[in-house]
Amino acid sequence: MEYSCKDFKVGKCEGEKVVDGETMPLVLHPQEPNKSDSESLLLALKTNKDWFEQMIIKNSAVLLRGFDVKNAQDFNEIVEAFGWDDIRYVGPAPRTHVYKRVWTANEGPLSEFIYYHHEMVLISEYPKKVILFCEVPPPEGGQTPFVPSFKITERMLEEFPEAVEEMDTKGLKYSFTALSKNDTASMRGRGWEDAFGTSDRAEAEKRCKALGMDLEWQPDGSVKTVLGPRALTKVFDGRKGRRMWFNTVVGMHGKEISSACMADGTEIPENVVKRCEEIIEDESIQFKWEKGDVLFLDNLAVLHGRRPSMPPRKVLVATCK
């Protein structure tokens, strides 16, 4: 399918890359200067809905830039223009509901780096699309870098073929400990009561099971969640048969409140994890947020993160099935 569309003009942004013949992100501007208002944008998105979704799959990331998107209400209208079903976020990040389908992105300290991840990668039902809106761009830092997942698999297979195949064959097991109440001083500070939407332990266990997790209650009221086995890589329809690095080994391995190992208990070699971290950073794509930007990510194809930032920074998010 061609890039060209009569309602959008293809542009460029600092930091974009061409990966396997695809521009990431694909930057779309208003076709005409007088077509930057939100009403014109909504009409263009609804008219070209199928084309736009194909561009997300083709390029893994699409950035709308130069449109007059002012706030959560405008952003929500963009999200709802496609008719994609909403999916509730489940995970450790502290977030606040803003408006209808719109939430804050991770509210952990801006000084911390949020490591690259596929959204809700460990949950049995994860979003296909993550949509981000920049209401207040940071004065320095605060980028939302993303990484084409298949490139990680390719390079890890080149350097560690036996380790990759062993992990893929055995599967992975993760653990994560969550406090009872939210702790906004941590980027992983969402309490289990908020995460599972209940303070009742029996109900939390029930909801946890439905998400494919086991719970271990701790003496201090916190809970250790255990997940596994989980895949190391996955292949999704419509994405050229690419083998995606659909895991969070680097993000959870050997951390104070989390762990990652093979499903049978075999430890993952430290040098493999360290080298994977280097490859992910090397393959990352960085761009600077501008006010009003809306970024569509194919969550099945890219990992994303957050660079440390100077305040203020306000990025909102919606997740879709």
Side-chain angles (χ1 to χ4, degrees), residues 37-55:
D37 61 285
S38 59
E39 188 175 327
S40 296
L41 173 58
L42 289 172
L43 178 61
L45 292 174
K46 290 175 182 177
T47 302
N48 302 282
K49 185 165 58 175
D50 292 341
W51 174 85
F52 195 92
E53 185 163 13
Q54 285 301 311
M55 290 302 99

Side-chain angles (χ1 to χ4, degrees), residues 215-235:
L215 292 185
E216 296 176 8
W217 297 104
Q218 306 300 303
D220 62 358
S222 64
V223 64
K224 181 180 181 180
T225 58
V226 181
L227 306 91
R230 294 290 190 270
L232 178 78
T233 66
K234 286 192 176 186
V235 177

Side-chain angles (χ1 to χ4, degrees), residues 139-171:
E140 183 180 333
Q143 298 95 331
T144 299
F146 58 92
V147 185
S149 196
F150 78 97
K151 292 296 294 181
I152 308 166
T153 309
E154 284 184 352
R155 292 184 60 178
M156 288 295 289
L157 280 169
E158 289 172 2
E159 297 190 31
F160 304 101
E162 293 180 1
V164 170
E165 296 303 350
E166 183 182 8
M167 287 188 284
D168 227 359
T169 300
K170 291 181 175 179

